[in-house]
Amino acid sequence: MNAPENRFKSRLLAREVLHGLWMTLASPVAAEALSLLGHDWLMFDTEHTPLDLAGVQPLLQAAAAGGAATVVRPAWNDPVLIKRLLDMGAQTLLVPFVQTPEEARAAVAATRYPPEGVRGVAGLTRASRFGLATDYFRVANREMCVLVQIETGAALARLEEIAAVEGVDGVFLGPSDLAASLGHLGQPGHPEVQAALEDAARRILATGKAPGILATTAVDARRYLGWGYRFVATGVDLSLLLKSAQRLLEEVAAET
Ligand SMILES: O=C(O)C(=O)C[C@H](O)[C@@H](O)CO
């Protein structure tokens, strides 16, 4: 039996546009159902959700039902959090708050077994199909995909250096955090933020790496795709649930 191939990585490197969904519900039922819809990737967030590490493995198992690849955001750029997520079978990580090339290098090293990195070794993990994948240690490093998240003006100033780090496969812009850092808390649509996002896509593409972003509406997503963003999460599961429940309630309540 072979180790799983990282289709997200191979498709990203093939310069495909990959449509994602931002997952915050920490629900295996939602993960399984939404994995069937046709998204290219689902992003499970452990940074800004109550989801603890033990809750991630059931989400990855559930999402394996459909065709969507999985991405996990660790709560921090921390080698211990990272190795535990990788042992669970996460192959693509979105590492938050990367500010410097050194931090990007540390994130990459945390995902690689020695001698390329510092990842600790375990045998009976979901990552190695519980030890049944005979090629696992030969291919594990190669199948890792590291996406680093740029969230501040300071990180933007070093964008090319961060993107150039070997092993960084994609650079993700967080519109909300960037807005806060640029003095526009709660206003990701502010013209200065949007101009920075457009410029960032251009600069990342010039380095040969893939730019990614989170959009909360189809209009935003289309604009970002037009700027060259290649892995774009459109929508947040909880927000979609709230909006459709609210709309339904309003429709029904309006008639009574
Ligand atoms: O800066 C951002 O934008 C993000 O990092 C995404 C946020 O965590 C949040 O808006 C997702 O619900």
Side-chain angles (χ1 to χ4, degrees):
M1 182 182 296
N2 286 338
E5 183 199 336
N6 187 343
R7 286 277 297 141
F8 180 93
K9 180 172 181 172
S10 53
R11 294 181 68 193
L12 198 68
L13 295 183
R15 300 181 182 276
E16 285 188 44
V17 170
L18 301 175
H19 297 283
L21 182 63
W22 199 269
M23 305 286 286
T24 66
L25 285 173
S27 155
V29 174
E32 182 176 6
L34 290 168
S35 78
L36 303 169
L37 275 186
H39 293 90
D40 298 306
W41 52 291
L42 302 180
M43 208 301 297
F44 296 107
D45 188 18
T46 73
E47 185 192 6
H48 283 300
T49 65
L51 179 60
D52 61 18
L53 283 184
V56 175
Q57 187 156 316
L59 297 176
L60 298 176
Q61 290 165 325
T70 53
V71 177
V72 182
R73 181 163 74 168
W76 193 243
N77 183 3
D78 176 297
V80 176
L81 293 179
I82 288 176
K83 78 176 157 192
R84 295 189 65 196
L85 291 171
L86 299 182
D87 283 350
M88 289 173 204
Q91 291 181 307
T92 302
L93 296 181
L94 173 57
V95 181
F97 210 78
V98 170
Q99 298 272 83
T100 63
E102 292 74 26
E103 288 172 7
R105 269 191 285 279
V108 172
T111 67
R112 270 38 174 203
Y113 291 120
E116 285 123 90
V118 297
R119 179 179 172 190
V121 180
L124 291 177
T125 61
R126 183 167 179 271
S128 66
R129 300 196 196 271
F130 305 100
L132 299 172
T134 48
D135 64 342
Y136 176 67
F137 287 118
R138 190 169 53 75
V139 302
N141 285 357
R142 186 189 73 200
E143 297 302 317
M144 290 293 122
C145 181
V146 176
L147 313 170
V148 294
Q149 182 167 353
I150 299 297
E151 316 200 27
T152 65
L156 269 187
R158 305 194 68 181
L159 190 55
E160 283 82 1
E161 291 173 84
I162 293 169
V165 168
E166 194 180 334
V168 167
D169 301 296
V171 181
F172 181 91
L173 270 293
S176 297
D177 285 300
L178 188 63
S181 168
L182 297 182
H184 305 295
L185 178 62
Q187 302 174 71
H190 189 282
E192 193 189 336
V193 180
Q194 290 293 308
L197 294 173
E198 182 173 10
D199 187 53
R202 183 187 55 72
R203 290 168 61 195
I204 296 162
L205 287 167
T207 69
K209 299 288 171 78
I213 197 163
L214 169 62
T216 51
T217 66
V219 171
D220 285 347
R222 279 196 290 269
R223 187 174 62 257
Y224 296 150
L225 288 163
W227 290 345
Y229 281 95
R230 285 224 299 271
F231 60 104
V232 178
T234 306
V236 178
D237 56 0
L238 178 57
S239 166
L240 294 170
L241 182 64
L242 282 171
K243 278 185 199 141
S244 56
Q246 185 177 35
R247 195 167 45 240
L248 210 50
L249 175 63
E250 282 167 2
E251 278 175 30
V252 173
E255 289 167 18
T256 55

